[in-house]
Amino acid sequence: DGGITQSPKYLFRKEGQNVTLSCEQNLNHDAMYWYRQDPGQGLRLIYYSQIVNDFQKGDIAEGYSVSREKKESFPLTVTSAQKNPTAFYLCASSIGGTHQHFGDGTRLSIL
Amino acid sequence: DAKTTQPPSMDCAEGRAANLPCNHSTISGNEYVYWYRQIHSQGPQYIIHGLKNNETNEMASLIITEDRKSSTLILPHATLRDTAVYYCIVRVAREYGNKLVFGAGTILRVKS
């Protein structure tokens, strides 16, 4: 079945450590997105990519980095510069700007 | 993107229709109404979208008023698995990088 796979489901980070969240899709979608969700809140856009080797900052890109070397993959790195990284991270994809398909998320916590 | 207003919570009996309202009085002519839902600890799930005509798919129906200032999502026979937060979003379709702006949504509780 086609879909979006995020891994791991739970991730723990030590202070000063970079961690990378994986997002893979087999839907053949061009566009991919990373959102952050805090408890009881809506989603906030971190980065998005319309096409391979191109990506744009969203509303809260500081402390995060991405790459888009393959159409299927859009990994997100949470760097040590992100001072409040504890959140639920959601990856999505779409054909152009149509409705977005989401993965089941990665929950990041700080040790 | 236009702002939307939804009730914070609703209850529905299992097997009955769930009607979830959304106000979007500042909607523009090229903005669509989208509905997503999010079950606890999962990613949001797309339900349906429409511009001005009523829409129906296997999950739900979307009724948009003639002036497009409000809409209603209808789950015809709600089940316990439909318990979730439902989000009404207004946005221009087919615009790259057009982020989804999720408000607080409506918590729908389906009860047996």
Side-chain angles (χ1 to χ4, degrees):
Chain A
D1 286 340
I4 298 178
T5 301
Q6 290 188 242
S7 62
K9 192 170 179 64
Y10 299 95
L11 186 59
F12 298 91
R13 194 191 89 168
K14 294 181 180 178
E15 295 284 349
Q17 186 180 52
N18 293 353
V19 290
T20 297
L21 284 60
S22 171
C23 178
E24 303 278 333
Q25 55 100 358
N26 60 4
L27 299 167
N28 200 32
H29 287 173
D30 294 311
M32 297 188 73
Y33 309 77
W34 273 105
Y35 292 89
R36 169 184 172 137
Q37 186 175 34
D38 292 285
Q41 305 294 313
L43 277 65
R44 291 186 290 169
L45 183 67
I46 304 172
Y47 269 98
Y48 67 95
S49 169
Q50 300 175 17
I51 197 169
V52 173
N53 292 323
D54 182 68
F55 49 83
Q56 306 294 329
K57 292 182 178 179
D59 296 323
I60 55 164
E62 186 175 350
Y64 300 97
S65 66
V66 294
S67 63
R68 187 85 187 276
E69 297 176 0
K70 297 186 300 182
K71 187 177 186 177
E72 304 81 19
S73 179
F74 192 41
L76 174 74
T77 297
V78 184
T79 74
S80 57
Q82 172 49 243
K83 298 306 179 188
N84 186 23
T86 297
F88 189 43
Y89 290 87
L90 288 157
C91 179
S93 71
S94 69
I95 297 174
T98 61
H99 64 269
Q100 295 175 20
H101 299 253
F102 285 83
D104 279 337
T106 292
R107 197 166 296 279
L108 176 62
S109 301
I110 300 302
L111 292 176
Chain B
D1 293 332
K3 181 179 169 60
T4 62
T5 304
Q6 299 177 251
S9 66
M10 295 181 63
D11 290 339
C12 177
E14 188 178 21
R16 303 296 295 268
N19 297 290
L20 292 90
C22 180
N23 287 322
H24 32 78
S25 59
T26 61
I27 191 170
S28 301
N30 63 344
E31 289 181 313
Y32 287 69
V33 179
Y34 283 77
W35 282 85
Y36 285 77
R37 71 180 182 185
Q38 187 173 23
I39 296 169
H40 183 62
S41 294
Q42 295 182 20
Q45 178 188 23
Y46 164 79
I47 302 173
I48 198 167
H49 75 283
L51 182 63
K52 53 184 176 181
N53 297 323
N54 298 338
E55 302 288 344
T56 296
N57 63 20
E58 66 277 5
M59 290 183 67
S61 294
L62 174 61
I63 308 298
I64 303 174
T65 58
E66 192 169 341
D67 63 7
R68 302 207 324 122
K69 292 185 177 182
S70 65
S71 59
T72 301
L73 178 74
I74 301 172
L75 307 178
H77 306 287
T79 71
L80 298 178
R81 288 180 295 179
D82 291 322
T83 293
V85 181
Y86 286 77
Y87 297 99
C88 170
I89 298 163
V90 172
R91 64 188 286 263
V92 177
R94 303 196 178 277
E95 187 172 283
Y96 278 100
N98 198 350
K99 61 182 180 287
L100 294 176
V101 179
F102 285 68
T106 296
I107 299 172
L108 175 68
R109 289 180 283 257
V110 180
K111 300 183 176 181
S112 58

